[in-house]
């Protein structure tokens, strides 16, 4: 559990750092210094003020979205730590499952690209017998899996949900896919 958290934290920091560098580079670069900005200014000077302004607005909007993504990832990283502690408090019988689900839903809304967040949500939803939500979380885990180990865990998680929903053929297909990865 501790090692899993450490690896997830390192991965999160790498992603946040890469985002931060990209946003920083964009922020310190004058719009006119970019190819798109220079082309837009050339259009402006050539008399196409409206077209140039539209392009410049798009550039600024893209930068704003990048800053928002960065902020979301940073906030998610902080909330993920709290959610992880809530998960542990739940295991100790100190917190109800709904409170932990709410925290992980918030984390995945802010940063939907972290595999282990979806696995935790899947497990929590299964614990409260909310199988449609568990299936969606397991499917998102499959989508975000970045390694064979993660794909095995995701297939197994989705297989468990499908089995509990009565879709034995679907469950078997997921378990067999996990087994193929293990054998490979």
């Amino acid at each position: 559990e501790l090692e899993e958290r450490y690896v997830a934290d390192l991965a999160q920091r790498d992603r946040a750092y890469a985002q931060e560098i990209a946003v920083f580079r964009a922020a310190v670069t004058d719009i006119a210094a970019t190819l798109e900005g220079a082309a837009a200014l050339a259009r402006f000077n050539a008399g196409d003020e409206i077209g140039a302004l539209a392009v410049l607005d798009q550039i600024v909007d893209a930068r704003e979205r990048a800053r928002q993504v960065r902020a979301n990832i940073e906030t998610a990283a902080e909330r993920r730590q709290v959610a992880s502690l809530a998960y542990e408090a739940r295991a100790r019988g100190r917190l109800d499952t709904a409170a932990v689900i709410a925290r992980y839903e918030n984390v995945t809304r802010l940063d939907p690209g972290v595999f282990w967040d979806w696995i935790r949500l899947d497990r929590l939803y299964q614990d409260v017998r909310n199988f449609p939500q568990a299936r969606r979380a397991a499917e998102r885990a499959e989508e975000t899996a970045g390694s064979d180990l993660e794909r095995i865990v995701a297939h197994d998680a989705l297989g468990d949900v499908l089995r509990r929903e009565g879709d034995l053929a679907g469950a078997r297909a997921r378990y067999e896919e996990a087994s193929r990865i293990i054998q490979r």
Side-chain angles (χ1 to χ4, degrees), residues 140-160:
R140 289 303 305 264
E142 279 189 330
E143 293 168 15
T144 59
S147 69
D148 281 345
L149 172 63
E150 290 178 354
R151 281 184 276 287
I152 291 164
V153 171
H155 292 319
D156 191 56
L158 188 52
D160 289 348

Side-chain angles (χ1 to χ4, degrees), residues 90-158:
R90 176 187 163 272
R92 294 178 183 178
R94 305 277 193 210
L95 195 63
D96 72 338
T97 303
V100 183
I101 287 173
R103 284 176 169 84
Y104 273 101
E105 285 175 339
N106 192 19
V107 169
T108 57
R109 181 184 54 76
L110 291 167
D111 185 9
V114 178
F115 170 80
W116 290 105
D117 293 341
W118 293 110
I119 290 298
R120 286 243 169 119
L121 257 180
D122 161 65
R123 291 173 181 164
L124 292 163
Y125 285 136
Q126 283 195 57
D127 285 351
V128 296
R129 306 186 66 74
N130 186 341
F131 300 123
Q133 287 294 89
R135 183 176 355 95
R136 283 195 256 318
E139 287 167 349
R140 289 303 305 264
E142 279 189 330
E143 293 168 15
T144 59
S147 69
D148 281 345
L149 172 63
E150 290 178 354
R151 281 184 276 287
I152 291 164
V153 171
H155 292 319
D156 191 56
L158 188 52

Side-chain angles (χ1 to χ4, degrees), residues 31 34-38 40 54-64:
I31 289 176
T34 66
L35 292 176
E36 298 88 357
V55 169
L56 291 170
D57 283 339
Q58 290 173 350
I59 292 169
V60 172
D61 289 346
R63 287 181 173 190
E64 181 180 1

Side-chain angles (χ1 to χ4, degrees), residues 63-76:
R63 287 181 173 190
E64 181 180 1
R65 284 190 302 276
R67 284 189 296 273
Q68 186 60 52
V69 166
R70 175 182 158 219
N72 286 350
I73 288 174
E74 288 176 357
T75 301

